[in-house]
Coordinates of all heavy atoms in Angstrom, one line a residue:
M111 N 201.8 128.0 51.4 CA 201.0 128.7 52.4 C 199.5 128.5 52.1 O 198.7 128.2 53.0 CB 201.4 130.2 52.4 CG 200.8 130.9 53.6 SD 201.4 130.3 55.2 CE 200.2 131.1 56.3
G112 N 199.1 128.6 50.8 CA 197.8 128.5 50.5 C 197.3 127.0 50.7 O 196.2 126.8 51.2
K113 N 198.2 126.1 50.5 CA 197.8 124.7 50.7 C 197.6 124.4 52.2 O 196.7 123.7 52.6 CB 199.0 123.8 50.2 CG 198.5 122.7 49.3 CD 199.7 121.9 48.8 CE 199.1 120.8 47.8 NZ 200.2 120.1 47.2
F114 N 198.5 125.0 53.0 CA 198.4 124.9 54.5 C 197.1 125.4 55.0 O 196.4 124.7 55.8 CB 199.6 125.6 55.2 CG 199.4 125.6 56.7 CD1 199.7 124.4 57.4 CD2 199.0 126.7 57.3 CE1 199.6 124.4 58.8 CE2 198.9 126.7 58.7 CZ 199.2 125.6 59.4
L115 N 196.7 126.6 54.5 CA 195.4 127.2 54.9 C 194.2 126.3 54.5 O 193.3 126.0 55.3 CB 195.2 128.5 54.3 CG 195.6 129.7 55.1 CD1 195.4 131.0 54.4 CD2 194.8 129.8 56.4
L116 N 194.3 125.7 53.3 CA 193.2 124.9 52.8 C 193.1 123.6 53.7 O 192.0 123.3 54.1 CB 193.5 124.4 51.4 CG 192.4 123.6 50.7 CD1 191.3 124.5 50.4 CD2 193.0 123.0 49.4
W117 N 194.2 123.0 54.1 CA 194.2 121.9 55.0 C 193.7 122.2 56.3 O 192.9 121.4 56.9 CB 195.6 121.2 55.1 CG 195.8 120.3 53.9 CD1 196.7 120.5 52.9 CD2 195.2 119.0 53.7 NE1 196.6 119.4 52.0 CE2 195.7 118.5 52.5 CE3 194.2 118.3 54.4 CZ2 195.3 117.3 52.0 CZ3 193.8 117.1 53.8 CH2 194.3 116.6 52.6
A118 N 194.1 123.4 56.8 CA 193.6 123.8 58.1 C 192.1 124.0 58.1 O 191.4 123.5 59.1 CB 194.3 125.1 58.5
I119 N 191.6 124.5 57.1 CA 190.1 124.7 57.0 C 189.4 123.3 56.9 O 188.4 123.1 57.5 CB 189.8 125.6 55.7 CG1 190.2 127.0 56.0 CG2 188.3 125.5 55.4 CD1 190.2 127.9 54.8
I120 N 190.0 122.4 56.1 CA 189.4 121.1 55.9 C 189.4 120.4 57.3 O 188.4 119.8 57.7 CB 190.2 120.3 54.9 CG1 189.9 120.8 53.5 CG2 189.8 118.8 54.9 CD1 190.8 120.3 52.4
I121 N 190.5 120.4 58.0 CA 190.6 119.8 59.3 C 189.5 120.4 60.3 O 188.8 119.6 61.0 CB 192.0 119.8 59.9 CG1 192.9 118.9 59.0 CG2 192.0 119.4 61.3 CD1 194.4 119.1 59.2
L122 N 189.5 121.7 60.3 CA 188.5 122.3 61.2 C 187.1 121.9 60.8 O 186.2 121.7 61.7 CB 188.6 123.9 61.1 CG 189.7 124.5 61.9 CD1 189.8 126.0 61.7 CD2 189.4 124.2 63.4
A123 N 186.8 121.9 59.5 CA 185.4 121.5 59.1 C 185.1 120.0 59.5 O 184.0 119.8 60.0 CB 185.3 121.6 57.5
V124 N 186.1 119.1 59.4 CA 185.9 117.7 59.8 C 185.6 117.7 61.3 O 184.7 117.0 61.7 CB 187.1 116.9 59.3 CG1 187.1 115.5 60.0 CG2 187.1 116.7 57.8
L125 N 186.4 118.4 62.0 CA 186.3 118.4 63.5 C 184.9 118.9 63.9 O 184.2 118.3 64.7 CB 187.3 119.3 64.1 CG 188.7 118.7 64.2 CD1 189.7 119.7 64.8 CD2 188.7 117.4 65.1
M126 N 184.4 120.0 63.2 CA 183.1 120.5 63.5 C 182.0 119.6 63.2 O 181.1 119.4 64.0 CB 182.9 121.8 62.7 CG 183.1 123.1 63.6 SD 183.2 124.6 62.6 CE 181.6 124.6 61.9
V127 N 182.1 118.9 62.0 CA 181.1 117.9 61.6 C 181.0 116.8 62.6 O 180.0 116.3 63.0 CB 181.3 117.5 60.2 CG1 180.5 116.2 59.9 CG2 181.0 118.6 59.2
S128 N 182.2 116.3 63.0 CA 182.2 115.1 63.9 C 181.7 115.5 65.3 O 181.0 114.8 66.0 CB 183.6 114.5 64.0 OG 184.5 115.4 64.8
R129 N 181.9 116.8 65.7 CA 181.4 117.3 66.9 C 179.9 117.3 66.9 O 179.2 116.9 67.8 CB 182.0 118.7 67.2 CG 182.9 118.6 68.5 CD 183.5 120.0 68.7 NE 182.7 120.8 69.6 CZ 183.2 121.9 70.1 NH1 184.4 122.3 69.9 NH2 182.4 122.6 70.9
I130 N 179.4 117.8 65.8 CA 177.9 117.9 65.6 C 177.3 116.5 65.7 O 176.3 116.3 66.3 CB 177.5 118.7 64.3 CG1 177.9 120.2 64.5 CG2 176.1 118.6 64.0 CD1 177.9 121.0 63.2
L131 N 177.9 115.6 64.9 CA 177.4 114.2 64.9 C 177.4 113.6 66.3 O 176.4 112.9 66.7 CB 178.2 113.4 63.9 CG 177.9 113.7 62.4 CD1 178.8 112.8 61.5 CD2 176.5 113.5 62.0
N132 N 178.5 113.8 67.0 CA 178.6 113.2 68.3 C 177.5 113.8 69.2 O 176.9 113.1 70.0 CB 180.0 113.5 68.9 CG 181.0 112.4 68.6 OD1 180.6 111.3 68.3 ND2 182.3 112.8 68.6
H133 N 177.3 115.1 69.1 CA 176.3 115.8 69.9 C 174.9 115.2 69.6 O 174.2 114.9 70.6 CB 176.3 117.3 69.6 CG 175.5 118.1 70.5 ND1 175.7 118.2 71.8 CD2 174.3 118.8 70.2 CE1 174.8 119.0 72.3 NE2 173.9 119.3 71.4
Q134 N 174.6 115.0 68.3 CA 173.3 114.4 68.0 C 173.2 113.0 68.5 O 172.1 112.6 69.1 CB 173.1 114.4 66.5 CG 172.8 115.8 65.9 CD 172.7 115.8 64.4 OE1 173.3 114.9 63.8 NE2 172.1 116.8 63.9
K135 N 174.3 112.2 68.4 CA 174.2 110.8 69.0 C 174.0 110.9 70.5 O 173.2 110.1 71.0 CB 175.5 110.1 68.7 CG 175.4 109.1 67.5 CD 176.7 108.3 67.4 CE 177.6 108.7 66.3 NZ 178.8 108.1 66.2
A136 N 174.7 111.7 71.2 CA 174.5 111.8 72.6 C 173.1 112.2 73.0 O 172.5 111.7 73.9 CB 175.5 112.9 73.2
Q137 N 172.5 113.1 72.2 CA 171.1 113.5 72.5 C 170.2 112.4 72.3 O 169.3 112.2 73.1 CB 170.8 114.7 71.6 CG 171.2 116.0 72.2 CD 170.7 117.2 71.3 OE1 170.4 117.1 70.2 NE2 170.5 118.3 72.0
A138 N 170.4 111.6 71.2 CA 169.5 110.5 70.9 C 169.6 109.4 72.0 O 168.6 108.9 72.4 CB 169.9 109.9 69.6
R139 N 170.9 109.2 72.5 CA 171.1 108.2 73.5 C 170.4 108.7 74.8 O 169.7 107.9 75.5 CB 172.6 108.1 73.8 CG 172.9 106.8 74.5 CD 174.4 106.5 74.6 NE 175.1 107.7 75.1 CZ 176.2 108.2 74.5 NH1 176.6 107.7 73.3 NH2 176.8 109.2 75.0
Q140 N 170.5 110.0 75.1 CA 169.9 110.5 76.3 C 168.4 110.4 76.3 O 167.7 110.0 77.2 CB 170.3 112.0 76.5 CG 171.6 112.2 77.2 CD 171.9 113.7 77.3 OE1 171.3 114.5 76.8 NE2 173.0 114.0 78.0
A141 N 167.8 110.7 75.1 CA 166.4 110.5 74.9 C 165.9 109.1 75.1 O 164.9 108.8 75.8 CB 166.0 111.0 73.5
A142 N 166.7 108.2 74.6 CA 166.4 106.7 74.7 C 166.5 106.3 76.2 O 165.6 105.6 76.7 CB 167.3 105.9 73.9
E143 N 167.5 106.8 76.9 CA 167.6 106.5 78.3 C 166.5 107.1 79.1 O 166.0 106.4 80.0 CB 169.0 107.1 78.8 CG 170.1 106.1 78.5 CD 171.5 106.8 78.8 OE1 171.5 107.9 79.5 OE2 172.5 106.2 78.4
R144 N 166.1 108.3 78.8 CA 165.0 108.9 79.5 C 163.7 108.1 79.3 O 162.9 107.9 80.2 CB 164.7 110.3 79.0 CG 165.5 111.3 79.9 CD 164.9 112.7 79.7 NE 165.0 113.2 78.3 CZ 166.1 113.8 77.8 NH1 167.0 114.1 78.6 NH2 166.1 114.2 76.6
R145 N 163.5 107.6 78.0 CA 162.3 106.8 77.7 C 162.3 105.6 78.5 O 161.3 105.2 79.1 CB 162.2 106.5 76.2 CG 161.3 107.4 75.4 CD 160.9 106.7 74.1 NE 162.1 106.3 73.4 CZ 162.8 107.0 72.6 NH1 162.5 108.3 72.4 NH2 163.8 106.6 71.9
Q146 N 163.5 104.9 78.6 CA 163.6 103.6 79.3 C 163.3 103.9 80.8 O 162.6 103.1 81.4 CB 165.0 103.1 79.1 CG 165.0 101.8 78.3 CD 166.4 101.3 78.1 OE1 167.4 101.9 78.6 NE2 166.5 100.3 77.3
A147 N 163.9 104.9 81.3 CA 163.7 105.2 82.7 C 162.2 105.5 83.0 O 161.7 105.0 84.0 CB 164.5 106.5 83.1
A148 N 161.5 106.2 82.1 CA 160.1 106.4 82.3 C 159.3 105.1 82.3 O 158.4 104.9 83.1 CB 159.6 107.4 81.3
Q149 N 159.7 104.2 81.3 CA 159.0 103.0 81.2 C 159.2 102.1 82.5 O 158.2 101.5 83.0 CB 159.5 102.2 80.0 CG 158.8 102.6 78.7 CD 159.4 102.0 77.5 OE1 160.4 101.3 77.6 NE2 158.7 102.2 76.4
S150 N 160.4 102.0 82.9 CA 160.7 101.1 84.1 C 160.0 101.7 85.3 O 159.6 101.0 86.2 CB 162.2 100.9 84.3 OG 162.8 102.2 84.6
K151 N 159.9 103.1 85.4 CA 159.3 103.7 86.5 C 157.8 103.4 86.5 O 157.2 103.1 87.5 CB 159.5 105.2 86.5 CG 159.2 105.9 87.8 CD 159.4 107.4 87.7 CE 158.9 108.0 89.0 NZ 158.8 109.5 88.9
A152 N 157.2 103.4 85.3 CA 155.8 103.1 85.1 C 155.5 101.7 85.5 O 154.5 101.4 86.2 CB 155.3 103.4 83.7
A153 N 156.4 100.8 85.2 CA 156.2 99.4 85.5 C 156.4 99.2 87.0 O 155.6 98.4 87.6 CB 157.3 98.5 84.8
A154 N 157.3 99.9 87.6 CA 157.5 99.8 89.1 C 156.3 100.4 89.8 O 155.9 99.9 90.9 CB 158.7 100.5 89.5
E155 N 155.6 101.4 89.2 CA 154.5 102.1 89.9 C 153.2 101.5 89.4 O 152.4 102.2 88.9 CB 154.6 103.6 89.6 CG 155.7 104.3 90.3 CD 155.5 104.4 91.8 OE1 154.6 105.1 92.2 OE2 156.3 103.7 92.5
E156 N 153.1 100.2 89.5 CA 151.8 99.5 89.1 C 150.7 100.0 90.1 O 150.9 100.1 91.3 CB 152.0 98.0 89.3 CG 150.8 97.2 88.7 CD 150.9 95.8 89.2 OE1 152.0 95.4 89.6 OE2 149.9 95.1 89.1
M157 N 149.5 100.3 89.5 CA 148.4 100.8 90.4 C 147.6 99.7 90.9 O 147.3 98.7 90.3 CB 147.5 101.7 89.5 CG 148.2 102.9 88.9 SD 149.0 104.0 90.1 CE 147.6 105.0 90.5
V158 N 147.3 99.8 92.2 CA 146.4 98.8 92.9 C 145.2 99.5 93.5 O 145.2 100.8 93.6 CB 147.2 98.1 94.0 CG1 148.3 97.2 93.4 CG2 147.8 99.0 95.0
R159 N 144.2 98.8 93.9 CA 143.0 99.4 94.3 C 142.8 99.0 95.8 O 143.1 97.9 96.3 CB 141.9 98.7 93.5 CG 140.7 99.6 93.4 CD 139.7 99.0 92.4 NE 138.6 99.8 92.1 CZ 137.6 99.5 91.4 NH1 137.6 98.3 90.8 NH2 136.6 100.3 91.2
C160 N 142.3 100.0 96.5 CA 142.0 99.8 97.9 C 140.7 98.9 98.0 O 139.7 99.3 97.3 CB 141.8 101.1 98.7 SG 141.2 100.9 100.4
A161 N 140.8 97.9 98.7 CA 139.6 96.9 98.8 C 138.5 97.5 99.6 O 137.4 97.0 99.6 CB 140.1 95.6 99.4
H162 N 138.7 98.6 100.3 CA 137.6 99.3 101.1 C 137.0 100.4 100.4 O 135.8 100.4 100.2 CB 138.2 99.7 102.4 CG 137.2 100.3 103.3 ND1 136.2 99.5 104.0 CD2 136.9 101.6 103.7 CE1 135.4 100.3 104.7 NE2 135.8 101.6 104.5
C163 N 137.8 101.4 99.9 CA 137.2 102.6 99.3 C 137.3 102.6 97.8 O 136.9 103.6 97.1 CB 137.7 103.9 99.9 SG 139.5 104.1 99.6
Q164 N 138.0 101.6 97.2 CA 138.1 101.4 95.7 C 139.0 102.5 95.1 O 139.0 102.6 93.9 CB 136.8 101.5 95.0 CG 135.7 100.6 95.7 CD 136.0 99.1 95.7 OE1 136.5 98.6 94.8 NE2 135.8 98.5 96.9
I165 N 139.8 103.2 95.9 CA 140.6 104.3 95.3 C 141.9 103.6 94.7 O 142.3 102.5 95.2 CB 141.0 105.3 96.4 CG1 141.5 106.6 95.7 CG2 142.1 104.8 97.3 CD1 141.7 107.7 96.7
Y166 N 142.4 104.1 93.6 CA 143.7 103.6 93.0 C 144.9 104.3 93.6 O 144.8 105.5 93.8 CB 143.6 103.8 91.5 CG 142.7 102.7 90.8 CD1 141.4 103.1 90.5 CD2 143.2 101.5 90.5 CE1 140.6 102.1 89.9 CE2 142.4 100.5 89.9 CZ 141.1 100.9 89.6 OH 140.3 99.9 89.0
L167 N 145.9 103.5 93.9 CA 147.1 104.1 94.4 C 148.3 103.3 93.9 O 148.1 102.1 93.6 CB 147.1 104.3 95.9 CG 147.1 103.0 96.8 CD1 147.6 103.4 98.1 CD2 145.7 102.4 96.8
P168 N 149.5 103.9 93.9 CA 150.7 103.1 93.5 C 151.0 102.0 94.5 O 150.8 102.1 95.7 CB 151.9 104.1 93.6 CG 151.2 105.5 93.6 CD 149.9 105.3 94.2
R169 N 151.4 100.8 93.9 CA 151.6 99.7 94.8 C 152.6 100.0 95.9 O 152.5 99.5 97.0 CB 152.2 98.5 93.9 CG 152.3 97.2 94.7 CD 152.8 96.1 93.7 NE 151.8 95.5 92.9 CZ 150.9 94.6 93.3 NH1 150.9 94.2 94.6 NH2 150.0 94.2 92.5
S170 N 153.6 100.8 95.6 CA 154.6 101.2 96.6 C 154.0 101.9 97.8 O 154.6 101.9 98.9 CB 155.7 102.0 96.0 OG 155.2 103.2 95.5
E171 N 152.9 102.5 97.7 CA 152.2 103.2 98.8 C 151.1 102.5 99.4 O 150.5 102.9 100.4 CB 151.7 104.6 98.3 CG 152.8 105.6 97.9 CD 152.2 106.8 97.2 OE1 151.1 107.1 97.4 OE2 153.0 107.4 96.4
A172 N 150.8 101.3 98.9 CA 149.6 100.5 99.3 C 150.0 99.7 100.5 O 151.1 99.2 100.7 CB 149.1 99.7 98.2
Y173 N 149.0 99.4 101.4 CA 149.2 98.5 102.5 C 148.7 97.1 102.0 O 147.7 97.0 101.3 CB 148.3 98.9 103.7 CG 148.8 100.0 104.4 CD1 148.7 101.3 103.9 CD2 149.4 99.9 105.7 CE1 149.2 102.4 104.6 CE2 149.9 100.9 106.4 CZ 149.8 102.2 105.8 OH 150.3 103.3 106.5
M174 N 149.5 96.1 102.2 CA 149.2 94.7 101.8 C 148.9 93.9 103.0 O 149.6 93.9 104.0 CB 150.4 94.1 101.0 CG 150.8 94.9 99.9 SD 149.9 94.5 98.4 CE 151.0 93.2 97.8
S175 N 147.7 93.2 102.9 CA 147.3 92.4 104.1 C 146.3 91.3 103.6 O 145.3 91.6 102.9 CB 146.7 93.3 105.1 OG 146.2 92.5 106.2
R176 N 146.6 90.1 103.9 CA 145.8 88.9 103.6 C 145.4 88.9 102.1 O 144.3 88.7 101.7 CB 144.5 88.9 104.4 CG 144.8 88.7 105.9 CD 143.5 88.4 106.6 NE 143.8 88.7 108.1 CZ 142.8 88.7 109.0 NH1 141.5 88.4 108.6 NH2 143.0 88.9 110.2
G177 N 146.4 89.2 101.2 CA 146.2 89.1 99.8 C 145.4 90.3 99.2 O 145.1 90.2 98.0
K178 N 145.1 91.3 100.0 CA 144.4 92.4 99.5 C 145.2 93.7 99.7 O 146.1 93.7 100.5 CB 143.0 92.6 100.2 CG 142.0 91.5 99.8 CD 140.7 91.7 100.4 CE 139.7 90.7 100.0 NZ 138.4 90.8 100.7
T179 N 144.9 94.7 98.9 CA 145.6 96.0 99.0 C 144.7 97.0 99.6 O 143.5 97.1 99.4 CB 146.1 96.4 97.7 OG1 145.1 96.4 96.7 CG2 147.2 95.5 97.2
W180 N 145.3 97.9 100.4 CA 144.5 99.0 101.1 C 145.3 100.3 100.9 O 146.5 100.3 100.8 CB 144.4 98.6 102.6 CG 144.0 97.2 102.8 CD1 144.9 96.2 103.0 CD2 142.7 96.6 102.9 NE1 144.2 95.0 103.2 CE2 142.9 95.2 103.1 CE3 141.4 97.1 102.7 CZ2 141.8 94.4 103.2 CZ3 140.4 96.3 102.8 CH2 140.6 94.9 103.1
C181 N 144.5 101.4 101.0 CA 145.2 102.7 100.8 C 145.8 103.2 102.1 O 146.7 104.0 102.1 CB 144.2 103.7 100.3 SG 142.8 104.1 101.5
C182 N 145.3 102.7 103.3 CA 145.8 103.2 104.6 C 145.6 102.1 105.6 O 144.8 101.2 105.4 CB 145.2 104.5 105.0 SG 143.4 104.4 105.1
A183 N 146.2 102.2 106.7 CA 146.1 101.2 107.8 C 144.6 101.2 108.3 O 144.1 100.1 108.7 CB 147.0 101.6 109.0
E184 N 144.0 102.3 108.3 CA 142.6 102.4 108.8 C 141.7 101.6 107.9 O 140.8 100.8 108.4 CB 142.1 103.9 108.8 CG 140.7 104.1 109.2 CD 140.4 103.8 110.7 OE1 141.4 103.6 111.5 OE2 139.2 103.8 111.0
H185 N 141.8 101.7 106.6 CA 141.0 100.9 105.7 C 141.3 99.4 105.8 O 140.4 98.6 105.6 CB 141.1 101.4 104.3 CG 140.3 102.7 104.1 ND1 140.2 103.4 102.9 CD2 139.5 103.4 105.0 CE1 139.5 104.5 103.1 NE2 139.1 104.5 104.3
A186 N 142.6 99.1 106.0 CA 143.0 97.7 106.2 C 142.2 97.1 107.4 O 141.7 96.0 107.3 CB 144.5 97.6 106.3
R187 N 142.2 97.9 108.4 CA 141.5 97.4 109.7 C 140.0 97.3 109.4 O 139.4 96.3 109.8 CB 141.8 98.5 110.8 CG 141.5 98.0 112.2 CD 141.8 99.1 113.2 NE 141.0 100.4 112.9 CZ 139.8 100.5 113.3 NH1 139.1 99.6 114.0 NH2 139.1 101.7 113.1
L188 N 139.4 98.3 108.8 CA 138.0 98.2 108.5 C 137.6 97.1 107.6 O 136.6 96.4 107.8 CB 137.5 99.6 107.9 CG 137.4 100.8 108.8 CD1 137.2 102.0 108.1 CD2 136.3 100.6 109.9
G189 N 138.5 96.9 106.6 CA 138.2 95.9 105.6 C 138.3 94.5 106.1 O 137.6 93.6 105.8
L190 N 139.3 94.3 107.0 CA 139.5 93.0 107.5 C 138.5 92.6 108.6 O 138.3 91.4 108.9 CB 141.0 92.9 108.1 CG 142.1 93.0 107.0 CD1 143.4 93.0 107.7 CD2 142.0 91.7 106.1
K191 N 137.8 93.6 109.2 CA 136.8 93.4 110.2 C 135.6 92.6 109.6 O 135.0 91.8 110.2 CB 136.4 94.7 110.8 CG 136.6 94.8 112.3 CD 135.7 95.9 112.8 CE 136.5 96.9 113.6 NZ 135.7 98.1 113.9
Q192 N 135.3 93.1 108.3 CA 134.0 92.5 107.7 C 134.1 91.0 107.5 O 135.1 90.5 107.1 CB 133.9 93.2 106.3 CG 133.5 94.7 106.5 CD 133.6 95.4 105.1 OE1 134.0 94.9 104.1 NE2 133.3 96.7 105.1
Ligands
ZN367 ZN1 140.8 103.0 101.2

């Protein structure tokens, strides 16, 4: 009976340790994934400058026309007029 209890405690301890290790690994993986996601988002959100008012804005929000970038349709119109 004493031997059985000892083994039960050892098995429980091993299970607990492996659970803690798995949890730490999962956390490290999640942190790495978050870092990667942040990096790829930063790369996707390259900043460009409006050729009219010189304001910086994300490329995804910029207007592109004749090889230049603009912050809005109005500035694209004004800039292309010159
Ligand atoms: Zn502008």
Side-chain angles (χ1 to χ4, degrees):
M111 190 62 191
K113 228 175 184 179
F114 173 77
L115 263 178
L116 187 72
W117 276 109
I119 288 166
I120 289 170
I121 288 165
L122 277 176
V124 167
L125 283 176
M126 258 168 63
V127 167
S128 73
R129 246 175 93 166
I130 290 166
L131 287 178
N132 271 337
H133 186 68
Q134 282 175 343
K135 253 190 259 175
Q137 274 186 335
R139 201 173 49 232
Q140 274 176 355
E143 276 169 13
R144 266 200 300 270
R145 259 200 311 276
Q146 246 175 8
Q149 275 174 352
S150 63
K151 196 181 173 192
E155 291 288 292
E156 188 192 342
M157 299 303 274
V158 294
R159 206 171 187 184
C160 173
H162 183 74
C163 66
Q164 315 298 314
I165 201 171
Y166 282 97
L167 67 158
R169 186 178 280 280
S170 59
E171 289 171 28
Y173 286 73
M174 303 273 270
S175 175
R176 295 193 201 170
K178 286 183 178 173
T179 49
W180 318 91
C181 66
C182 58
E184 178 68 12
H185 283 179
R187 195 178 60 79
L188 289 169
L190 292 174
K191 237 200 231 169
Q192 292 169 355

